[in-house]
Amino acid sequence: MSTFRLAHLYPRELNIYADRGNIAVFDRRTSWRGLGVEVIEVGIGDPVPTDAHLYYLGGGQDRDQLAVADDLRGDKGTTLRGLVDDGACLLAVCGGYQLAGHGYTGVDGTRMDGISVLDADTVAGGPPRLIGDVVIEARLDGQTHTVVGFENHAGRTRLGVGSSPLGVVTSGHGNNGKDGFEGAVTKHAIGTYLHGPLLPKNPWLADLLIAWALEYATGSRPVLEPLDDHLEEAAHAAAIVRTRQPNR
Amino acid sequence: MQHPANTIATAAGWLSRRLGRGGGTTLPGALITKWRPQAVRSMRCKLTDGALVISATNGKTTTARLIVSCLRSDGRTLVTNPSGANLMSGVASALLAAPAHPLVPALGVFEVDEAALPAIADQLAPRVVLLMNLFRDQLDRYGELEHISERWLGMLQGLPPSTIVVLNADDPAVAHLGDAHPNIVWFGIDDTSRALTELPHAADARRCRRCGEPLIYDAVLVGHLGHWHCDACGWRRPTPSIAASAVTLHGLDTIDVDIATPGGPIAVRGLALPGLHNAYNATAAAAAALTLGVPVTRIGQALQSSQAAFGRSERLTITGRELVLLLIKNPAGANEIVRTLELDPEPLDLVLFLNDRTADGRDVSWIWDVDYEPLLPRIRTLTIAGDRAHDLALRFRYAGLDDSRMRVVPPTADALDTALAGTADGRPLYALPTYTAMLGLREVLVARGVAQEFWRDR
């Protein structure tokens, strides 16, 4: 049995939206099933490992995000694009989503380049920031599932033809608050503004990513043993209920 | 002669209490500041002995209470705002209720919200400003930290040189404000015996404010507070003139703090506020009291006779059992509560409440920034409650807590009963609520006759 190798990119710089919750979900849901799991932390100046099966990019403060954008410029971006082309998984959340696209243009016109794994581009917008609980209908691998989370972003993201949206917004703002789409998907790379964190309340999405990663590792799609997800489902349901209530 | 608007606003607060609509602690001030936006400026003349304002992400309510205790022991006449009423409206309410021509000099002591501070300081023209710390707060308010630090900087630049600014030397996000004003008094903790070896997961202010390089910590005390310096540009923690030279923690009960000051040492024994973070609150309170002229000899006695503020290490008795309320507002505060709970050597019975209302922060991601992990082997029973109880349950599930030790009971009263029933004989129940959950829990406790309404506090 192959070990699930997860490369956590820039954990010191990109961690503000509880990204370690997503890492914990990958870690636990593989080990609970008796599968081997290894988390490799990759910092500024470290080479990107080419033998991981899933790459994770979280969200950070502006200053830290700029430092990461600098570090990704050049070889590392090329390496990550090649890995995703080859079938590796990428999950990029909030600021990481913006970096996984073509880049971010600030209010003052300054440009922070991304790595163009996703055909998505972001321009600073607002006020207002787009903040609140979000519910989307996500379509991946021919399946449709409700995905819940929380969003908090000033950037407005629009997709090109090279990426499809992760889902259609049923409550909340999504990519830009206008076109009704949320997130971006190219091959097995997913970018999204949904945090909260994303995966604990969306075990279906977590397991799909684990299955994709193991398929990339072994060449065949595994059948994952079901887990007792009653707490996950209850939190998922509570998040949907919350979007129907006024702020108190 | 009272301005007629003041009279009407005051009457509205009285009516609100009579109708049982709650404390009315901010209603008169909310009305008056709407009608007269400069009301606080026009009423500051009531404070014939000037004003002290206190701000911080964590500890402002407790510290305000400690300072009030020091000043009262020195016979001062005070005007204060109750906990939770720390916006312009709360300060205005306190001033409305104060006598127009006090017979003895009246001193204002106000805890103030971080974001509201610059506008309040502008109107109030305080004698002393105490700034204690800046931590990452709830995430939907994120981005405010740097922004607040910049606004505080501008505020200090606008204060006259006669104002005394009391700053925490151990917090680099506060220490960099020292350049903005000529009259700074530094406080801090010198004792490093309880220091951590590394910054916690969710630490802010990792980088030098002057040159952007990573800061080096010789000692991490609370969150990103500690003994720090920058190798690249040489900026370092200022040497505090008022410093806790020795801190002893007596479990979850009390602390002892020895504070060195230019006027001589202060020995605080048996302060009923546990944890190292309360040593910061005590030292900050001593620094503020000293700058306001309270004699050194009174401060130690006044501090150790102080009682916990509403929900902050507050102890109540319910059905013959001790209930300890430990308010949790953000990751830095929660981490200190976790560290303090570790001081109890026995297995723990806990009830945690997580709400996501406006005052709690609507984004509950922050619970993943809290290092709950050290508690896991110590938990005997864990009851999880609140509007977002299931999110908190997942935090513990993915931390690795066995399901059999965890019960998810969202409604407040039911959760309290479940937790009390499961608590071991002779042991306290520790309750860790977010802010609005604390108010809800308070209602239940008041209905059962074991606590007072919060607006009667102080």
PDB file of all heavy atoms in Angstrom, chain B residues 274-291:
ATOM      1  N   PRO B 274      -5.944  33.439  38.217  1.00  0.00           N
ATOM      2  CA  PRO B 274      -4.877  32.504  37.893  1.00  0.00           C
ATOM      3  C   PRO B 274      -4.231  32.765  36.536  1.00  0.00           C
ATOM      4  O   PRO B 274      -4.817  33.402  35.666  1.00  0.00           O
ATOM      5  CB  PRO B 274      -5.603  31.156  37.891  1.00  0.00           C
ATOM      6  CG  PRO B 274      -7.011  31.489  37.528  1.00  0.00           C
ATOM      7  CD  PRO B 274      -7.275  32.851  38.118  1.00  0.00           C
ATOM      8  N   GLY B 275      -3.011  32.258  36.383  1.00  0.00           N
ATOM      9  CA  GLY B 275      -2.347  32.263  35.075  1.00  0.00           C
ATOM     10  C   GLY B 275      -1.388  33.419  34.868  1.00  0.00           C
ATOM     11  O   GLY B 275      -1.532  34.494  35.439  1.00  0.00           O
ATOM     12  N   LEU B 276      -0.408  33.156  34.006  1.00  0.00           N
ATOM     13  CA  LEU B 276       0.633  34.154  33.735  1.00  0.00           C
ATOM     14  C   LEU B 276       0.043  35.407  33.093  1.00  0.00           C
ATOM     15  O   LEU B 276       0.516  36.521  33.319  1.00  0.00           O
ATOM     16  CB  LEU B 276       1.689  33.514  32.812  1.00  0.00           C
ATOM     17  CG  LEU B 276       2.967  34.294  32.550  1.00  0.00           C
ATOM     18  CD1 LEU B 276       3.683  34.654  33.851  1.00  0.00           C
ATOM     19  CD2 LEU B 276       3.906  33.483  31.646  1.00  0.00           C
ATOM     20  N   HIS B 277      -1.019  35.235  32.271  1.00  0.00           N
ATOM     21  CA  HIS B 277      -1.609  36.409  31.626  1.00  0.00           C
ATOM     22  C   HIS B 277      -2.138  37.397  32.663  1.00  0.00           C
ATOM     23  O   HIS B 277      -2.137  38.600  32.434  1.00  0.00           O
ATOM     24  CB  HIS B 277      -2.704  36.004  30.636  1.00  0.00           C
ATOM     25  CG  HIS B 277      -3.809  35.190  31.223  1.00  0.00           C
ATOM     26  ND1 HIS B 277      -3.626  33.905  31.695  1.00  0.00           N
ATOM     27  CD2 HIS B 277      -5.109  35.479  31.427  1.00  0.00           C
ATOM     28  CE1 HIS B 277      -4.774  33.447  32.159  1.00  0.00           C
ATOM     29  NE2 HIS B 277      -5.699  34.379  32.012  1.00  0.00           N
ATOM     30  N   ASN B 278      -2.569  36.887  33.824  1.00  0.00           N
ATOM     31  CA  ASN B 278      -3.028  37.803  34.862  1.00  0.00           C
ATOM     32  C   ASN B 278      -1.883  38.510  35.574  1.00  0.00           C
ATOM     33  O   ASN B 278      -2.090  39.561  36.190  1.00  0.00           O
ATOM     34  CB  ASN B 278      -3.944  37.072  35.839  1.00  0.00           C
ATOM     35  CG  ASN B 278      -5.366  36.983  35.297  1.00  0.00           C
ATOM     36  OD1 ASN B 278      -5.895  37.990  34.805  1.00  0.00           O
ATOM     37  ND2 ASN B 278      -5.960  35.804  35.344  1.00  0.00           N
ATOM     38  N   ALA B 279      -0.667  37.948  35.493  1.00  0.00           N
ATOM     39  CA  ALA B 279       0.498  38.678  35.999  1.00  0.00           C
ATOM     40  C   ALA B 279       0.723  39.931  35.148  1.00  0.00           C
ATOM     41  O   ALA B 279       1.110  40.987  35.652  1.00  0.00           O
ATOM     42  CB  ALA B 279       1.734  37.783  35.989  1.00  0.00           C
ATOM     43  N   TYR B 280       0.456  39.815  33.817  1.00  0.00           N
ATOM     44  CA  TYR B 280       0.512  41.009  32.959  1.00  0.00           C
ATOM     45  C   TYR B 280      -0.540  42.024  33.386  1.00  0.00           C
ATOM     46  O   TYR B 280      -0.263  43.221  33.476  1.00  0.00           O
ATOM     47  CB  TYR B 280       0.291  40.642  31.490  1.00  0.00           C
ATOM     48  CG  TYR B 280       1.571  40.295  30.764  1.00  0.00           C
ATOM     49  CD1 TYR B 280       1.829  39.008  30.332  1.00  0.00           C
ATOM     50  CD2 TYR B 280       2.528  41.284  30.514  1.00  0.00           C
ATOM     51  CE1 TYR B 280       3.004  38.693  29.684  1.00  0.00           C
ATOM     52  CE2 TYR B 280       3.708  40.981  29.868  1.00  0.00           C
ATOM     53  CZ  TYR B 280       3.945  39.681  29.454  1.00  0.00           C
ATOM     54  OH  TYR B 280       5.119  39.382  28.818  1.00  0.00           O
ATOM     55  N   ASN B 281      -1.763  41.536  33.646  1.00  0.00           N
ATOM     56  CA  ASN B 281      -2.831  42.455  34.039  1.00  0.00           C
ATOM     57  C   ASN B 281      -2.482  43.168  35.349  1.00  0.00           C
ATOM     58  O   ASN B 281      -2.696  44.374  35.483  1.00  0.00           O
ATOM     59  CB  ASN B 281      -4.160  41.699  34.169  1.00  0.00           C
ATOM     60  CG  ASN B 281      -4.624  41.123  32.832  1.00  0.00           C
ATOM     61  OD1 ASN B 281      -4.253  41.621  31.785  1.00  0.00           O
ATOM     62  ND2 ASN B 281      -5.433  40.069  32.882  1.00  0.00           N
ATOM     63  N   ALA B 282      -1.931  42.427  36.300  1.00  0.00           N
ATOM     64  CA  ALA B 282      -1.575  43.014  37.594  1.00  0.00           C
ATOM     65  C   ALA B 282      -0.447  44.039  37.440  1.00  0.00           C
ATOM     66  O   ALA B 282      -0.476  45.116  38.051  1.00  0.00           O
ATOM     67  CB  ALA B 282      -1.166  41.914  38.571  1.00  0.00           C
ATOM     68  N   THR B 283       0.542  43.705  36.615  1.00  0.00           N
ATOM     69  CA  THR B 283       1.676  44.623  36.428  1.00  0.00           C
ATOM     70  C   THR B 283       1.228  45.892  35.702  1.00  0.00           C
ATOM     71  O   THR B 283       1.639  47.007  36.045  1.00  0.00           O
ATOM     72  CB  THR B 283       2.806  43.912  35.646  1.00  0.00           C
ATOM     73  OG1 THR B 283       3.091  42.668  36.299  1.00  0.00           O
ATOM     74  CG2 THR B 283       4.064  44.751  35.609  1.00  0.00           C
ATOM     75  N   ALA B 284       0.368  45.708  34.701  1.00  0.00           N
ATOM     76  CA  ALA B 284      -0.179  46.865  33.978  1.00  0.00           C
ATOM     77  C   ALA B 284      -0.982  47.749  34.928  1.00  0.00           C
ATOM     78  O   ALA B 284      -0.878  48.984  34.896  1.00  0.00           O
ATOM     79  CB  ALA B 284      -1.065  46.390  32.824  1.00  0.00           C
ATOM     80  N   ALA B 285      -1.785  47.120  35.792  1.00  0.00           N
ATOM     81  CA  ALA B 285      -2.599  47.882  36.742  1.00  0.00           C
ATOM     82  C   ALA B 285      -1.713  48.655  37.712  1.00  0.00           C
ATOM     83  O   ALA B 285      -1.975  49.832  38.007  1.00  0.00           O
ATOM     84  CB  ALA B 285      -3.523  46.934  37.513  1.00  0.00           C
ATOM     85  N   ALA B 286      -0.648  48.002  38.185  1.00  0.00           N
ATOM     86  CA  ALA B 286       0.283  48.680  39.103  1.00  0.00           C
ATOM     87  C   ALA B 286       0.921  49.878  38.407  1.00  0.00           C
ATOM     88  O   ALA B 286       1.040  50.964  38.998  1.00  0.00           O
ATOM     89  CB  ALA B 286       1.345  47.687  39.579  1.00  0.00           C
ATOM     90  N   ALA B 287       1.304  49.702  37.140  1.00  0.00           N
ATOM     91  CA  ALA B 287       1.946  50.795  36.400  1.00  0.00           C
ATOM     92  C   ALA B 287       0.990  51.979  36.259  1.00  0.00           C
ATOM     93  O   ALA B 287       1.376  53.135  36.471  1.00  0.00           O
ATOM     94  CB  ALA B 287       2.405  50.294  35.029  1.00  0.00           C
ATOM     95  N   ALA B 288      -0.265  51.691  35.926  1.00  0.00           N
ATOM     96  CA  ALA B 288      -1.243  52.767  35.751  1.00  0.00           C
ATOM     97  C   ALA B 288      -1.534  53.450  37.090  1.00  0.00           C
ATOM     98  O   ALA B 288      -1.598  54.685  37.168  1.00  0.00           O
ATOM     99  CB  ALA B 288      -2.529  52.218  35.147  1.00  0.00           C
ATOM    100  N   ALA B 289      -1.686  52.661  38.146  1.00  0.00           N
ATOM    101  CA  ALA B 289      -1.982  53.231  39.472  1.00  0.00           C
ATOM    102  C   ALA B 289      -0.830  54.130  39.944  1.00  0.00           C
ATOM    103  O   ALA B 289      -1.054  55.209  40.493  1.00  0.00           O
ATOM    104  CB  ALA B 289      -2.252  52.117  40.482  1.00  0.00           C
ATOM    105  N   LEU B 290       0.406  53.693  39.694  1.00  0.00           N
ATOM    106  CA  LEU B 290       1.572  54.495  40.083  1.00  0.00           C
ATOM    107  C   LEU B 290       1.600  55.831  39.342  1.00  0.00           C
ATOM    108  O   LEU B 290       1.868  56.873  39.943  1.00  0.00           O
ATOM    109  CB  LEU B 290       2.863  53.726  39.783  1.00  0.00           C
ATOM    110  CG  LEU B 290       3.264  52.666  40.799  1.00  0.00           C
ATOM    111  CD1 LEU B 290       4.396  51.813  40.250  1.00  0.00           C
ATOM    112  CD2 LEU B 290       3.688  53.337  42.107  1.00  0.00           C
ATOM    113  N   THR B 291       1.306  55.785  38.029  1.00  0.00           N
ATOM    114  CA  THR B 291       1.345  57.042  37.275  1.00  0.00           C
ATOM    115  C   THR B 291       0.244  57.990  37.741  1.00  0.00           C
ATOM    116  O   THR B 291       0.360  59.189  37.562  1.00  0.00           O
ATOM    117  CB  THR B 291       1.191  56.813  35.759  1.00  0.00           C
ATOM    118  OG1 THR B 291      -0.048  56.159  35.514  1.00  0.00           O
ATOM    119  CG2 THR B 291       2.310  55.972  35.193  1.00  0.00           C
TER     120      THR B 291
END
